[in-house]
Amino acid sequence: MAPRATSSLHAVIPALLLVLVLLAASAPAPAAAAGDSSKRRRSRTPSPFPAGLAPPRYPVVPAADGSGNATAAKPFTAHYFPQELDHFTFTPNASRVFYQKYLLNDTFWRKPAGGAAAGPLFVYTGNEGDIEWFATNTGFMFDIAPQFGALLVFIEHRFYGESMPFGNDSYKSADTLGYLTSTQALADFAILITSLKSNLSVPDAPVVVFGGSYGGMLASWFRLKYPHVAMGAVAASAPILQFDDITHWSSFYDAVSEDFMSESLNCFTVIKSVWDVLDIRGSNATGLLELSKTFRACKTVQYVDSLSNWMWTAFTYTAMTDYPTPANFLENLPAYPVKEMCKIIDAFPAGADVIDKAFAAASLYYNYTGDQKCFKVEGGDDPHGLSGWGWQACTEMIMPMNVSSESMFPPSGFSYEERSEECVESYGVRPRDHWITTEYGGTKIYQVLKRFGSNIIFSNGMRDPWSRGGVLKNISSSIIALVTEEGAHHLDFRSATKEDPDWVVEQRRQEVEIIQGWIDQYNQDTAEMSQVIDKEN
């Protein structure tokens, strides 16, 4: 899902996360004379979805032993499930079959034997991208599998990765993309899980679904929609309240700004002041040429907003992934990267150029390892197949976002009407602005779920700007919010390391304890029901 500085879809089509989220740049506007206003794109910022998902340059596979160290061997095997195209109609095309990818790790699975119950299935509900990427960045599931004797399953979301219902034509038009919806994806998960349990002869094995960012939204919705399939859900950094007017529209970018201000007022001020200076200097061909050199662009930049977007992305995603340990989820970054960016800015002498300061800080995001000789500011690729999010953001995932005057980003608004026209222009469809809250709820969620739902963990870290659209307080005794003040985007799902601060260790301990309680209660209920059935027979 993807926050935007404006509602325009022409500057950037989104990828959390995914989006949170997400970053597939569309074609630039037609060429125009230098200095012409048509040289400017209509939007300045890319769109990070919950997933906040931007293509990682250095994906690694966590060790199956949960050590967090990279390993050449993948800790899973790939499989393909024959999935029906449309679960909700009986039209001739509905029964068309495509092959949905899923990953398995049974290293620690406690198989049923000698009357002993099978271990649980821990299932990751795939986000908007290649499922192997998510599996390699969800070390928490590998870490806890031995304790639970769990079978690990990672299911790829339809229309992403290798799970393309129409092959290379899957993104061809609205006729094909129309089958890319969250409801179809949830039904995919339900059918695959049910079939897998049947094939393994473990119909009574408990299932807990896990997901981060958009995947976390899916996990929580899956628990509500399919409680007979999954008896619990762990939803990390899941902004299920980022719709309609449930969450303040400016909250995302206000939170990014607060992260930087908390490290240094000077850092915040420099970033806040750079945008206007950049616009002025990039208003003509000579200025764009000089800025291209300053930004070490691989090719001369054609649009000044491309430079703004490049920095905007760096600051936004760094706030999202402000982890307390080095990580490479989106890019290779040091521990506490927001602090490190601000150190770079604050180290400049008085009177130094504001663009030089901001560029140097943003470069940390793209080039912490120092191996990038130049930066591909325009014309980026989509190595993890995230571009389907553009369709989702134009149909049902309508998350209103604006930028307030208090933010370090330039103020801007949001208009449902403008978004609608842009979606018609891009895809030939109009969004259903309020469908998500109609289908899954969200409004008055604390009142509604208090008497209805159960067995859901919502985890959030307040350094993550997506946390503002998440569930931040307990709804009931079994719908629990675990919130850490210093946490970032689904930090708890990352592999444990020796450098993890105590509060991360404690958050994961609480999650394990809650999950264990769910499974113990489920097994007790199952055993009691079996006794009742035996007596009746």
Side-chain angles (χ1 to χ4, degrees):
M1 307 155 167
R4 305 175 174 284
T6 75
S7 62
S8 174
L9 294 174
H10 288 272
V12 181
I13 301 293
L16 340 244
L17 302 313
L18 293 291
V19 61
L20 5 117
V21 139
L22 290 127
L23 285 181
S26 63
D36 192 312
S37 60
S38 65
K39 291 284 282 185
R40 298 180 56 79
R41 296 191 180 194
R42 291 169 59 190
S43 169
R44 347 166 131 256
T45 179
S47 309
F49 173 67
L53 300 179
R57 293 182 182 171
Y58 312 99
V60 297
V61 179
D65 64 3
S67 66
N69 297 321
T71 174
K74 295 180 179 180
F76 44 71
T77 56
H79 306 265
Y80 298 85
F81 179 78
Q83 190 67 262
E84 285 195 339
L85 176 65
D86 186 355
H87 303 294
F88 303 108
T89 72
F90 293 90
T91 59
N93 209 32
S95 58
R96 176 187 177 118
V97 171
F98 71 97
Y99 287 89
Q100 184 170 26
K101 184 175 181 178
Y102 66 101
L103 311 175
L104 290 180
N105 179 300
D106 63 357
T107 305
F108 306 105
W109 188 39
R110 186 176 64 252
K111 299 178 182 179
L121 278 67
F122 286 175
V123 180
Y124 188 92
T125 50
N127 303 42
E128 66 288 22
D130 183 338
I131 191 59
E132 292 197 18
W133 178 33
F134 295 111
T136 58
N137 280 282
T138 312
F140 175 64
M141 292 176 65
F142 292 91
D143 290 347
I144 67 175
Q147 176 177 342
F148 287 93
L151 174 66
L152 302 183
V153 186
F154 297 83
I155 307 177
E156 192 162 70
H157 194 298
R158 58 167 54 201
F159 284 85
Y160 293 102
E162 296 180 44
S163 303
M164 293 292 177
F166 299 93
N168 293 335
D169 292 331
S170 294
Y171 293 170
K172 185 176 182 180
S173 69
D175 290 334
T176 54
L177 282 167
Y179 298 100
L180 172 51
T181 68
S182 60
T183 50
Q184 295 280 10
L186 293 180
D188 288 343
F189 299 153
I191 290 171
L192 195 157
I193 292 169
T194 302
S195 177
L196 180 62
K197 291 177 66 178
S198 176
N199 291 339
L200 294 173
S201 300
V202 289
D204 293 328
V207 174
V208 179
V209 289
F210 295 73
S213 200
Y214 171 50
M217 299 167 74
L218 293 172
S220 65
W221 292 336
F222 190 84
R223 169 61 183 156
L224 296 176
K225 289 289 186 179
Y226 296 93
H228 54 292
V229 179
M231 44 74 67
V234 184
S237 301
I240 62 170
L241 306 182
Q242 198 75 52
F243 298 92
D244 296 356
D245 58 355
I246 302 172
T247 299
H248 199 287
W249 291 4
S250 69
S251 64
F252 183 94
Y253 286 113
D254 286 346
V256 175
S257 303
E258 289 167 7
D259 285 353
F260 281 84
M261 182 178 284
S262 71
E263 298 297 343
S264 162
L265 177 59
N266 175 61
C267 180
F268 169 89
T269 303
V270 166
I271 296 172
K272 187 177 180 68
S273 64
V274 75
W275 313 108
D276 287 341
V277 177
L278 193 63
D279 284 346
I280 293 170
R281 292 192 193 172
S283 62
N284 55 60
T286 301
L288 283 174
L289 180 60
E290 290 303 313
L291 287 172
S292 297
K293 295 176 182 177
T294 299
F295 278 71
R296 292 170 49 200
C298 298
K299 296 181 180 179
T300 301
V301 174
Q302 299 298 306
Y303 305 92
V304 67
D305 280 346
S306 297
L307 299 170
S308 296
N309 288 346
W310 186 85
M311 288 200 296
W312 198 306
T313 298
F315 298 139
T316 300
Y317 283 154
T318 299
M320 286 172 53
T321 56
D322 194 31
Y323 298 136
T325 56
N328 55 6
F329 175 44
L330 302 181
E331 298 282 2
N332 266 324
L333 290 173
Y336 298 109
V338 171
K339 180 187 294 291
E340 296 304 316
M341 277 189 171
C342 286
K343 284 182 179 179
I344 291 172
I345 288 176
D346 290 345
F348 273 81
D353 186 80
V354 67
I355 290 180
D356 289 342
K357 296 177 184 179
F359 165 75
S363 295
L364 176 78
Y365 176 77
Y366 297 104
N367 196 28
Y368 175 60
T369 56
D371 61 351
Q372 299 297 308
K373 296 180 179 179
C374 65
F375 297 114
K376 198 171 184 180
V377 176
E378 292 176 337
D381 55 9
D382 182 22
H384 288 270
L386 309 176
S387 57
W389 185 257
W391 168 265
Q392 291 191 259
C394 255
T395 49
E396 57 181 3
M397 297 296 169
I398 309 302
M399 298 176 159
M401 292 191 176
N402 59 27
V403 184
S404 72
S405 59
E406 303 303 314
S407 166
M408 69 182 192
F409 300 103
S412 65
F414 175 87
S415 164
Y416 283 111
E417 293 75 18
E418 287 182 13
R419 172 66 65 85
S420 180
E421 292 306 317
E422 290 157 359
C423 291
V424 169
E425 184 176 344
S426 296
Y427 294 102
V429 299
R430 291 193 184 278
R432 295 178 183 173
D433 296 331
H434 310 292
W435 173 244
I436 290 297
T437 50
T438 301
E439 176 68 8
Y440 304 115
T443 304
K444 297 182 179 179
I445 190 172
Y446 294 95
Q447 175 182 338
V448 173
L449 292 190
K450 183 177 182 179
R451 304 296 183 193
F452 168 67
S454 65
N455 291 8
I456 303 176
I457 296 172
F458 289 102
S459 63
N460 281 283
M462 298 307 290
R463 299 287 287 183
D464 175 19
W466 284 112
S467 65
R468 303 324 192 257
V471 175
L472 300 178
K473 60 182 181 180
N474 293 349
I475 294 177
S476 68
S477 60
S478 65
I479 302 182
I480 306 298
L482 297 180
V483 180
T484 55
E485 289 300 320
E486 298 300 317
H489 203 53
H490 45 70
L491 168 63
D492 50 323
F493 274 18
R494 299 192 62 76
S495 296
T497 72
K498 295 179 180 179
E499 292 75 33
D500 286 334
D502 291 343
W503 50 266
V504 178
V505 175
E506 173 60 17
Q507 182 183 28
R508 293 181 181 133
R509 186 201 65 76
Q510 291 182 59
E511 290 171 352
V512 167
E513 181 179 37
I514 293 169
I515 295 168
Q516 186 67 66
W518 294 343
I519 293 175
D520 290 346
Q521 184 63 59
Y522 176 90
N523 288 336
Q524 179 181 332
D525 293 344
T526 301
E528 292 175 355
M529 182 58 66
S530 295
Q531 292 175 3
V532 171
I533 293 174
D534 289 343
K535 289 180 180 179
E536 292 178 347
N537 293 334

